Each structure stands twice: as structure tokens, then as C-alpha cells.
Amino acid sequence: MSTIFEEIRKDHDTQRTLLDLLVKTHGDSDGREELFQRVKAALQTHETAEERFFYRPLMAYDTGVEKSRHGIAEHHEMDEVIEQMESTDFSSPAWLGYAKKLQDMALHHFEDEEKQFFISAGQKFEDDEKTRLGQEYRSEMERLNS
């Protein structure tokens, strides 16, 4: 049984790979648009499941409120960059700039979670809760992706 931390980290690894591929694309190619749609879907479903099954339980603790707010705010900031990318021509140099900005933001966000938030939550959540949240998170990801 995977914990919430293992499940989230697994998705972070996939998103790191997708973002790395995305910033290596060129011009208005079919590959760029397809990869962008995959990145967008991966980030948005992950944000939703993570807010429900990681941040909401973390907010139950006084010391988890600020971390949760910070993480959710970063989700919102990434969503805004995705919106900018959607309204920018795929062949525009600005589009690649937004893609790199999104990658930087996501990598920063993943590092915050993996190096700080997981440690804090790990001290708060009971072992059975970590496993239950991991199962609920994965079920939500499957539901959102179906």
C-alpha cells in the first residue's frame, strides 16, 4: 500500500518528465500541442486530487494551514500560466517562455512539497491515514482521468 507521499511523488515524477519534454518542443508542431494538453491535464487533475487528499487534511492542523495555503496558491499561479499559454500562439517565442516559467514554477512547487510539506505532514498524519489518503488520492486521480 502506497502512502499519500509516494502517490504524489509518483505523479510529480511524471509531470517533471512531461514538462522537460514540453520545453524542448519547437514551433507550432502537433507534438507541442499534444504534449501541452497532456501537461495541462496532468497538472490540473493532480492539483484537484492533491488539494482534496493532501492539503485539506493538512489544514486540520494549525501548523499545516500556512503550508496548505501556500501550496494551493502555487496551484492557482500555475493555472494562470496555463491560461496564458492557451491564449498565446504555439509558434510564438512567448509561448516557450511561458512553458519554461510553468516548468520552473512546478519544479519549485514539487520541491516545497517533497522537502518541506511532506516532512511536516508525515509528523502529523498517522500511518493508517497516510495509506488511506494515498488510496483516496489515487482513486480520485483515476476518476478525474477517466
Side-chain angles (χ1 to χ4, degrees), residues 35 77 119 124 129:
L35 209 44
E77 291 166 5
I119 293 165
K124 293 168 181 51
E129 184 179 19

Side-chain angles (χ1 to χ4, degrees), residues 56-125:
R56 186 166 45 189
L58 187 58
M59 283 182 132
Y61 301 89
D62 290 345
T63 56
V65 171
E66 191 55 41
K67 285 178 176 53
S68 296
R69 286 180 179 158
H70 179 83
I72 292 168
E74 287 182 345
H75 286 171
H76 180 69
E77 291 166 5
M78 286 187 278
D79 291 343
E80 288 178 340
V81 174
I82 288 170
E83 287 175 18
Q84 289 174 313
M85 293 169 77
E86 289 178 316
S87 64
T88 303
D89 191 89
F90 280 102
S91 62
S92 164
W95 192 92
L96 185 58
Y98 290 134
K100 289 178 178 177
K101 181 178 180 181
L102 180 64
Q103 181 185 37
D104 289 346
M105 293 170 80
L107 294 177
H108 165 83
H109 178 71
F110 300 160
E111 189 168 321
D112 276 355
E113 288 178 343
E114 294 173 6
K115 299 234 163 74
Q116 298 173 34
F117 298 4
F118 286 5
I119 293 165
S120 178
Q123 295 166 346
K124 293 168 181 51
F125 299 164

Side-chain angles (χ1 to χ4, degrees), residues 22 25-40 90 95:
L22 184 66
T25 61
H26 301 284
D28 189 10
S29 64
D30 290 342
R32 177 175 272 187
E33 183 168 359
E34 180 188 339
L35 209 44
F36 171 66
Q37 294 304 326
R38 288 181 62 196
V39 166
K40 177 183 162 187
F90 280 102
W95 192 92

Side-chain angles (χ1 to χ4, degrees), residues 5-59:
F5 312 116
E6 292 162 330
E7 292 295 338
I8 291 173
R9 188 173 283 117
K10 196 182 324 178
D11 286 343
H12 285 175
D13 290 344
T14 299
Q15 293 162 23
R16 282 183 183 99
T17 300
L18 289 172
L19 286 160
D20 189 49
L21 293 169
L22 184 66
V23 299
K24 292 177 180 169
T25 61
H26 301 284
D28 189 10
S29 64
D30 290 342
R32 177 175 272 187
E33 183 168 359
E34 180 188 339
L35 209 44
F36 171 66
Q37 294 304 326
R38 288 181 62 196
V39 166
K40 177 183 162 187
L43 287 173
Q44 290 178 338
T45 56
H46 172 74
E47 289 171 0
T48 300
E50 188 175 71
E51 287 173 16
R52 289 181 179 154
F53 299 105
F54 180 67
Y55 285 116
R56 186 166 45 189
L58 187 58
M59 283 182 132

